[in-house]
Amino acid sequence: MSVREPVRPGGRSARVQASVHAAVRDLLAEVGRAELTIPVIAERAGVTPSTIYRRWGDLQELLGDVAVERLRPDAEPADTGTLRGDLDAWLEQYAEEMSSEPGQAMIRDVLACNLDPTKSCRCRDYLRDQLAVIAARAATRSEVAPDVDVLIDRIVAPVLYRILFDIEPPTPVYCRRLVAAALEAR
Amino acid sequence: MSVREPVRPGGRSARVQASVHAAVRDLLAEVGRAELTIPVIAERAGVTPSTIYRRWGDLQELLGDVAVERLRPDAEPADTGTLRGDLDAWLEQYAEEMSSEPGQAMIRDVLACNLDPTKSCRCRDYLRDQLAVIAARAATRSEVAPDVDVLIDRIVAPVLYRILFDIEPPTPVYCRRLVAAALEAR
């Protein structure tokens, strides 16, 4: 297990994390994953390799940490005026992002962090938060949304299963069918 | 990409595959994944390392191949007398196997084979075959089963999502609720 220093915003620890994460993102885009090593990342980030080993333990944990950060949504789900419209728009965007090559690489990096299940749970929490925003918005329109965990079972899980275990990525038509079935099933 | 020789049952190629797979399974149990290298596997299997590199390319592809083989079901789903009973029994067993530490390691090994999506699709095909047996058996009892792909969406995908992205594994009660909902939704 890696030993983690608490991260205080603006402190040295937060600056190290930001520069190391940025170095990984840049190097992934420039040279690709196969060339990534901790010494290469350390040099780009302007820290010592031992700083990285101390905080992240190994390359796989660091890649997982960067992937979780990149999976954090940077905006609220679009407001289309209806619950079904919001879910359709959100799920199509999610399926498209996760089906892409960088999206699939991020999922695999998160799942490869065997030692730290909190990473994959953080991904689940991001999705729950987004779906909770959609559900709360539905309530203000007097629409009743299914429970967030039911939505994860009925619309998120099948999309992700298809991305991970199928050759064909989920289509927008497939996504809309999942949303319709989730809303009809109640 | 690895270059694969066609595998003819009983031929040299099949014997090599069997001895290398057996060596990996034994070494995983004896020394664990962190100690596994291609030279160590080759020595145990009685082949040269270059034989392994030629056929599998790298360690990750070999581990993925072994994992897919281990995920191949070795028996038909239990016949409990009803469609719901068959699905309940099958899903509970699947959830239990995949939630275990070796089960999770196998899923991750399969997913880590980025270069070869046919591996993860073979896993899906195994599940489809098992569910098709249950559906065909239901038909002989004049029960109508949901489409196999609908069953994958409604019962398999949520269980796997929970195993991969949640700290708590899926419980038997949760599995039965998924089966009930899948059968009621039609």
Side-chain angles (χ1 to χ4, degrees), chain A residues 107-108 111-112 114 117 120-121 123-124 127 152-154 156-158 160-162 164-167 174 178 181, chain B residues 107-108 111-112 114 120-121 123-124 127 152-154 156-158 160-162 164-167 174 178 181:
Chain A
I107 299 172
R108 290 191 166 90
L111 294 179
N114 296 342
S120 44
C121 294
C123 295
R124 184 169 210 257
L127 297 179
I152 288 193
D153 285 347
R154 300 248 171 107
V156 175
L160 207 63
Y161 186 89
R162 221 161 253 239
L164 293 176
F165 290 99
D166 217 328
I167 286 179
Y174 172 77
L178 291 176
Chain B
I107 299 172
R108 291 191 165 91
L111 294 178
N114 295 344
S120 44
C121 292
C123 296
R124 182 167 211 258
L127 298 178
I152 288 192
D153 285 347
R154 301 245 172 108
V156 175
L160 208 62
Y161 185 89
R162 220 160 252 240
L164 293 175
F165 291 99
D166 217 329
I167 286 180
Y174 172 76
L178 291 177

Side-chain angles (χ1 to χ4, degrees), chain A residues 127-148:
Chain A
L127 297 179
R128 291 174 56 98
D129 290 349
Q130 294 259 301
L131 292 168
V133 168
I134 291 176
R137 200 185 279 153
T140 67
R141 302 186 200 110
S142 307
E143 291 183 291
V144 180
D147 184 80
V148 165

Side-chain angles (χ1 to χ4, degrees), chain B residues 3-7 12-13 51 54-55:
Chain B
V3 178
R4 281 160 198 281
E5 304 161 31
V7 177
R12 178 175 181 279
S13 188
T51 299
R54 202 165 48 239
R55 174 153 346 164

Side-chain angles (χ1 to χ4, degrees), chain B residues 122-183:
Chain B
R122 265 162 66 202
C123 296
R124 182 167 211 258
D125 290 341
Y126 294 155
L127 298 178
R128 291 175 55 99
D129 290 349
Q130 294 259 300
L131 293 168
V133 168
I134 291 175
R137 201 186 275 153
T140 67
R141 304 185 198 108
S142 307
E143 293 184 291
V144 180
D147 184 79
V148 165
D149 285 316
V150 171
L151 285 173
I152 288 192
D153 285 347
R154 301 245 172 108
I155 70 175
V156 175
V159 161
L160 208 62
Y161 185 89
R162 220 160 252 240
I163 289 170
L164 293 175
F165 291 99
D166 217 329
I167 286 180
E168 296 297 321
T171 63
V173 168
Y174 172 76
C175 290
R176 286 197 292 275
R177 210 161 54 215
L178 291 177
V179 168
L183 294 179

Side-chain angles (χ1 to χ4, degrees), chain B residues 89-136:
Chain B
W90 180 84
L91 189 64
E92 274 179 50
Q93 194 191 343
Y94 176 77
E96 193 184 313
E97 282 178 14
M98 295 301 108
S99 301
S100 70
E101 211 171 296
Q104 292 198 39
M106 284 189 279
I107 299 172
R108 291 191 165 91
D109 280 338
V110 171
L111 294 178
C113 295
N114 295 344
L115 293 178
D116 189 356
T118 59
K119 282 207 177 59
S120 44
C121 292
R122 265 162 66 202
C123 296
R124 182 167 211 258
D125 290 341
Y126 294 155
L127 298 178
R128 291 175 55 99
D129 290 349
Q130 294 259 300
L131 293 168
V133 168
I134 291 175

Side-chain angles (χ1 to χ4, degrees), chain B residues 30-52:
Chain B
E30 291 166 27
V31 302
R33 171 168 324 238
E35 308 296 319
L36 274 195
T37 63
I38 286 186
V40 167
I41 295 165
E43 194 187 343
R44 174 70 66 103
V47 302
T48 62
S50 67
T51 299
I52 297 183

